[in-house]
Amino acid sequence: MGEPNQHVLVIGAGITGLLIAQGLKKAGIRCTIFEAEPSAAHYRSREWGMSIQWALPLLQDCLSDDTYHRIHTAAVDPFYDPSDPGILPTFNGATGEHMKDIPLVLQDVGDPADPSTWTFQLQTTWKKREGEEATSLASHKKRAETFGEPFRSANLWIPEGTQIYDNRMSYWVPIPWDNRGGRIIIAGDAAHPMTFQRGQGMNHGIADVSKLTRCLGSAVAGDMSWQDAVTAYQMEMIDRAGEEVATSKMNTEMLHDWERMQDSPIMRKGGHPREAAVVK
Protein backbone atom coordinates (compact mmCIF):
# COMPACT_ATOMS: atom_id res chain seq x y z
CA MET A 1 0.00 0.00 0.00
CA GLY A 2 1.46 3.35 -1.00
CA GLU A 3 1.21 6.70 0.77
CA PRO A 4 -0.98 8.77 -1.57
CA ASN A 5 -2.37 11.27 0.96
CA GLN A 6 0.79 13.13 1.86
CA HIS A 7 0.66 16.94 1.62
CA VAL A 8 4.08 18.61 1.51
CA LEU A 9 4.67 22.16 2.76
CA VAL A 10 7.49 23.83 0.83
CA ILE A 11 9.16 26.68 2.75
CA GLY A 12 10.79 29.14 0.35
CA ALA A 13 9.88 29.96 -3.25
CA GLY A 14 13.44 30.12 -4.50
CA ILE A 15 14.68 28.10 -7.46
CA THR A 16 14.89 24.85 -5.50
CA GLY A 17 11.57 25.37 -3.71
CA LEU A 18 9.70 26.04 -6.95
CA LEU A 19 11.37 23.09 -8.62
CA ILE A 20 10.38 20.83 -5.71
CA ALA A 21 6.78 21.94 -6.22
CA GLN A 22 7.01 21.07 -9.91
CA GLY A 23 8.50 17.67 -9.11
CA LEU A 24 5.85 16.89 -6.50
CA LYS A 25 3.11 17.88 -8.94
CA LYS A 26 4.58 15.54 -11.55
CA ALA A 27 4.67 12.73 -8.97
CA GLY A 28 1.04 13.37 -7.99
CA ILE A 29 1.90 14.65 -4.50
CA ARG A 30 -0.01 17.64 -3.14
CA CYS A 31 2.00 20.63 -1.90
CA THR A 32 1.68 24.23 -0.73
CA ILE A 33 4.48 26.81 -1.07
CA PHE A 34 5.19 29.46 1.57
CA GLU A 35 7.39 32.50 0.86
CA ALA A 36 8.28 35.41 3.15
CA GLU A 37 9.05 37.97 0.43
CA PRO A 38 6.08 39.72 -1.21
CA SER A 39 7.72 39.57 -4.65
CA ALA A 40 10.83 38.31 -6.39
CA ALA A 41 12.20 41.87 -6.62
CA HIS A 42 11.44 42.91 -3.03
CA TYR A 43 14.69 41.79 -1.43
CA ARG A 44 16.97 41.03 -4.36
CA SER A 45 16.35 43.24 -7.36
CA ARG A 46 18.89 41.28 -9.38
CA GLU A 47 19.99 37.71 -9.10
CA TRP A 48 23.10 35.67 -9.69
CA GLY A 49 23.72 34.28 -13.13
CA MET A 50 23.01 30.56 -12.86
CA SER A 51 24.47 27.95 -15.17
CA ILE A 52 22.80 24.59 -15.66
CA GLN A 53 25.48 22.13 -16.72
CA TRP A 54 25.46 18.40 -16.00
CA ALA A 55 22.11 18.66 -14.21
CA LEU A 56 20.13 19.62 -17.32
CA PRO A 57 18.94 16.04 -18.05
CA LEU A 58 17.86 15.66 -14.41
CA LEU A 59 15.23 18.36 -14.94
CA GLN A 60 13.21 15.74 -16.80
CA ASP A 61 12.55 14.11 -13.42
CA CYS A 62 11.13 17.37 -12.07
CA LEU A 63 9.27 19.07 -14.92
CA SER A 64 6.46 18.14 -17.25
CA ASP A 65 7.60 17.15 -20.74
CA ASP A 66 6.16 20.36 -22.21
CA THR A 67 7.95 22.58 -19.67
CA TYR A 68 11.22 20.70 -20.02
CA HIS A 69 11.27 21.09 -23.80
CA ARG A 70 10.61 24.85 -23.47
CA ILE A 71 13.33 25.51 -20.91
CA HIS A 72 15.67 27.06 -23.50
CA THR A 73 13.22 29.98 -23.82
CA ALA A 74 14.14 31.04 -20.27
CA ALA A 75 17.83 31.46 -21.12
CA VAL A 76 19.21 34.99 -20.78
CA ASP A 77 20.16 34.78 -24.46
CA PRO A 78 17.53 32.64 -26.20
CA PHE A 79 19.28 33.33 -29.52
CA TYR A 80 22.47 31.58 -28.38
CA ASP A 81 22.90 27.94 -29.34
CA PRO A 82 25.72 26.61 -27.13
CA SER A 83 28.11 23.90 -28.21
CA ASP A 84 27.80 20.52 -26.56
CA PRO A 85 29.42 20.50 -24.13
CA GLY A 86 29.32 24.24 -23.56
CA ILE A 87 32.51 26.11 -22.74
CA LEU A 88 33.49 28.93 -20.43
CA PRO A 89 36.26 30.99 -22.07
CA THR A 90 38.84 31.90 -19.41
CA PHE A 91 41.13 34.93 -19.72
CA ASN A 92 44.02 36.42 -17.78
CA GLY A 93 42.39 39.47 -16.21
CA ALA A 94 45.66 41.42 -16.14
CA THR A 95 46.76 40.83 -19.74
CA GLY A 96 43.59 39.79 -21.58
CA GLU A 97 45.30 36.59 -22.71
CA HIS A 98 42.91 33.75 -23.58
CA MET A 99 44.12 31.00 -21.30
CA LYS A 100 41.65 28.16 -21.73
CA ASP A 101 38.13 27.11 -22.72
CA ILE A 102 36.68 25.36 -19.71
CA PRO A 103 33.98 22.73 -20.35
CA LEU A 104 30.70 23.93 -18.89
CA VAL A 105 27.22 32.00 -20.00
CA LEU A 106 25.04 38.44 -20.44
CA GLN A 107 22.17 38.94 -18.21
CA ASP A 108 19.69 39.79 -20.95
CA VAL A 109 19.80 40.10 -24.75
CA GLY A 110 17.53 42.49 -26.60
CA ASP A 111 18.62 42.52 -30.23
CA PRO A 112 21.27 39.84 -30.87
CA ALA A 113 22.77 42.01 -33.62
CA ASP A 114 23.07 45.12 -31.42
CA PRO A 115 25.26 44.73 -28.30
CA SER A 116 24.10 48.15 -27.07
CA THR A 117 20.79 46.48 -26.15
CA TRP A 118 22.46 43.80 -24.03
CA THR A 119 22.57 43.91 -20.24
CA PHE A 120 25.73 42.55 -18.66
CA GLN A 121 26.44 41.35 -15.16
CA LEU A 122 30.04 42.02 -14.13
CA GLN A 123 31.38 40.16 -11.11
CA THR A 124 34.67 40.73 -9.30
CA THR A 125 35.65 38.64 -6.30
CA TRP A 126 38.36 39.21 -3.72
CA LYS A 127 39.04 38.80 -0.04
CA LYS A 128 37.65 41.91 1.58
CA ARG A 129 39.96 44.00 3.76
CA GLU A 130 38.95 45.52 7.08
CA GLY A 131 37.13 48.81 6.52
CA GLU A 132 36.95 48.40 2.74
CA GLU A 133 33.84 49.75 0.98
CA ALA A 134 32.86 46.89 -1.29
CA THR A 135 29.94 48.81 -2.83
CA SER A 136 31.93 51.90 -3.84
CA LEU A 137 31.85 52.39 -7.62
CA ALA A 138 34.95 54.60 -7.42
CA SER A 139 36.87 51.85 -5.61
CA HIS A 140 35.66 49.30 -8.14
CA LYS A 141 36.87 51.42 -11.06
CA LYS A 142 40.21 52.00 -9.37
CA ARG A 143 40.65 48.25 -9.11
CA ALA A 144 39.63 47.86 -12.77
CA GLU A 145 42.48 50.14 -13.87
CA THR A 146 44.78 47.13 -13.46
CA PHE A 147 42.65 44.82 -15.64
CA GLY A 148 43.51 43.78 -19.18
CA GLU A 149 41.16 44.51 -22.08
CA PRO A 150 38.27 44.11 -22.64
CA PHE A 151 37.65 43.76 -18.90
CA ARG A 152 39.26 47.11 -18.08
CA SER A 153 36.97 49.10 -20.40
CA ALA A 154 33.89 47.05 -19.55
CA ASN A 155 34.26 48.04 -15.89
CA LEU A 156 35.47 51.60 -16.42
CA TRP A 157 32.48 52.30 -18.70
CA ILE A 158 29.97 51.50 -15.95
CA PRO A 159 27.74 54.62 -15.81
CA GLU A 160 28.11 56.85 -12.78
CA GLY A 161 25.31 56.29 -10.31
CA THR A 162 25.11 52.57 -11.02
CA GLN A 163 24.48 50.69 -7.79
CA ILE A 164 27.16 48.19 -6.83
CA TYR A 165 26.01 45.16 -4.85
CA ASP A 166 28.12 43.03 -2.58
CA ASN A 167 27.53 39.43 -1.65
CA ARG A 168 29.39 37.77 1.18
CA MET A 169 29.96 34.16 0.29
CA SER A 170 29.00 31.50 2.79
CA TYR A 171 29.10 27.76 2.84
CA TRP A 172 28.51 24.79 5.07
CA VAL A 173 28.88 21.08 4.64
CA PRO A 174 25.56 19.21 5.04
CA ILE A 175 25.37 16.80 7.96
CA PRO A 176 22.77 14.19 8.96
CA TRP A 177 19.68 15.63 10.68
CA ASP A 178 16.69 14.20 12.46
CA ASN A 179 14.06 14.17 9.73
CA ARG A 180 11.32 13.46 12.28
CA GLY A 181 10.04 10.34 10.61
CA GLY A 182 10.36 11.80 7.12
CA ARG A 183 8.58 15.05 7.96
CA ILE A 184 11.56 17.42 7.62
CA ILE A 185 13.45 17.68 4.31
CA ILE A 186 16.24 20.15 3.49
CA ALA A 187 17.40 20.87 -0.07
CA GLY A 188 19.29 23.40 -2.17
CA ASP A 189 21.06 26.29 -0.44
CA ALA A 190 19.26 25.50 2.80
CA ALA A 191 21.16 22.22 2.86
CA HIS A 192 24.47 22.99 1.17
CA PRO A 193 25.30 26.63 0.27
CA MET A 194 28.58 26.71 -1.61
CA THR A 195 30.90 29.29 -3.14
CA PHE A 196 29.97 29.99 -6.75
CA GLN A 197 33.21 30.08 -8.74
CA ARG A 198 32.75 26.51 -10.01
CA GLY A 199 29.07 27.05 -10.83
CA GLN A 200 27.79 23.99 -8.97
CA GLY A 201 25.12 25.28 -6.58
CA MET A 202 22.23 25.26 -9.05
CA ASN A 203 23.23 21.90 -10.45
CA HIS A 204 23.25 20.26 -7.05
CA GLY A 205 19.92 21.89 -6.22
CA ILE A 206 18.46 20.26 -9.34
CA ALA A 207 20.09 16.95 -8.38
CA ASP A 208 18.47 17.27 -4.94
CA VAL A 209 15.00 17.67 -6.45
CA SER A 210 15.56 14.89 -8.97
CA LYS A 211 16.53 12.43 -6.25
CA LEU A 212 13.83 13.61 -3.85
CA THR A 213 11.08 13.42 -6.48
CA ARG A 214 12.03 9.89 -7.44
CA CYS A 215 12.28 8.74 -3.81
CA LEU A 216 8.92 10.22 -2.82
CA GLY A 217 7.37 8.85 -5.99
CA SER A 218 8.50 5.40 -4.89
CA ALA A 219 6.85 5.95 -1.52
CA VAL A 220 3.56 6.92 -3.16
CA ALA A 221 3.79 3.80 -5.33
CA GLY A 222 4.28 1.64 -2.25
CA ASP A 223 7.84 0.56 -3.01
CA MET A 224 9.15 2.03 0.27
CA SER A 225 7.88 3.93 3.27
CA TRP A 226 7.79 7.72 3.29
CA GLN A 227 10.44 7.81 6.01
CA ASP A 228 12.72 5.45 4.10
CA ALA A 229 12.28 7.58 0.98
CA VAL A 230 13.28 10.77 2.81
CA THR A 231 16.23 9.02 4.48
CA ALA A 232 17.44 7.64 1.14
CA TYR A 233 17.34 11.16 -0.33
CA GLN A 234 19.09 12.60 2.73
CA MET A 235 21.99 10.12 2.64
CA GLU A 236 22.61 10.56 -1.10
CA MET A 237 22.42 14.37 -0.93
CA ILE A 238 24.80 14.65 2.05
CA ASP A 239 27.39 12.45 0.33
CA ARG A 240 27.15 14.10 -3.11
CA ALA A 241 26.71 17.78 -2.20
CA GLY A 242 28.98 17.62 0.85
CA GLU A 243 31.91 16.69 -1.34
CA GLU A 244 31.17 19.58 -3.72
CA VAL A 245 30.92 22.14 -0.90
CA ALA A 246 34.49 21.24 0.08
CA THR A 247 35.67 21.19 -3.55
CA SER A 248 34.08 24.57 -4.32
CA LYS A 249 35.61 26.16 -1.21
CA MET A 250 39.05 24.89 -2.19
CA ASN A 251 38.45 26.11 -5.75
CA THR A 252 37.57 29.64 -4.54
CA GLU A 253 40.70 29.83 -2.42
CA MET A 254 42.91 28.62 -5.27
CA LEU A 255 41.41 31.02 -7.82
CA HIS A 256 42.53 33.93 -5.64
CA ASP A 257 46.11 32.64 -5.53
CA TRP A 258 47.88 33.01 -8.88
CA GLU A 259 50.45 30.35 -7.99
CA ARG A 260 47.71 27.76 -7.46
CA MET A 261 45.04 28.95 -9.87
CA GLN A 262 46.02 26.70 -12.79
CA ASP A 263 45.65 23.63 -10.56
CA SER A 264 42.21 24.61 -9.25
CA PRO A 265 39.26 22.26 -9.83
CA ILE A 266 37.60 24.65 -12.31
CA MET A 267 40.77 24.78 -14.42
CA ARG A 268 41.43 21.04 -14.20
CA LYS A 269 37.96 19.63 -14.80
CA GLY A 270 35.66 22.57 -15.44
CA GLY A 271 32.16 22.11 -14.08
CA HIS A 272 32.17 18.34 -14.28
CA PRO A 273 31.03 16.62 -11.07
CA ARG A 274 32.17 13.29 -9.81
CA GLU A 275 30.54 10.49 -11.79
CA ALA A 276 28.20 9.51 -8.95
CA ALA A 277 26.44 12.88 -9.10
CA VAL A 278 24.82 12.11 -12.45
CA VAL A 279 24.09 8.42 -11.96
CA LYS A 280 20.50 7.63 -11.09
Side-chain angles (χ1 to χ4, degrees), residues 137-159:
L137 179 58
S139 296
H140 179 74
K141 290 188 174 185
K142 182 177 181 180
R143 185 179 297 106
E145 290 281 2
T146 65
F147 295 175
E149 295 293 353
F151 311 103
R152 181 178 184 275
S153 293
N155 284 274
L156 293 180
W157 290 346
I158 297 175

Side-chain angles (χ1 to χ4, degrees), residues 74-136:
V76 294
D77 184 358
F79 308 100
Y80 175 64
D81 184 17
S83 58
D84 187 14
I87 60 171
L88 178 65
T90 305
F91 298 86
N92 184 318
T95 66
E97 173 194 1
H98 180 202
M99 301 173 64
K100 185 177 183 179
D101 284 332
I102 298 175
L104 283 178
V105 205
L106 321 164
Q107 194 72 5
D108 188 31
V109 175
D111 181 350
D114 182 4
S116 68
T117 67
W118 303 355
T119 301
F120 293 84
Q121 184 183 71
L122 302 172
Q123 297 178 347
T124 305
T125 65
W126 70 95
K127 189 172 183 178
K128 186 179 178 182
R129 298 180 178 87
E130 187 69 29
E132 186 176 13
E133 294 185 48
T135 59
S136 166

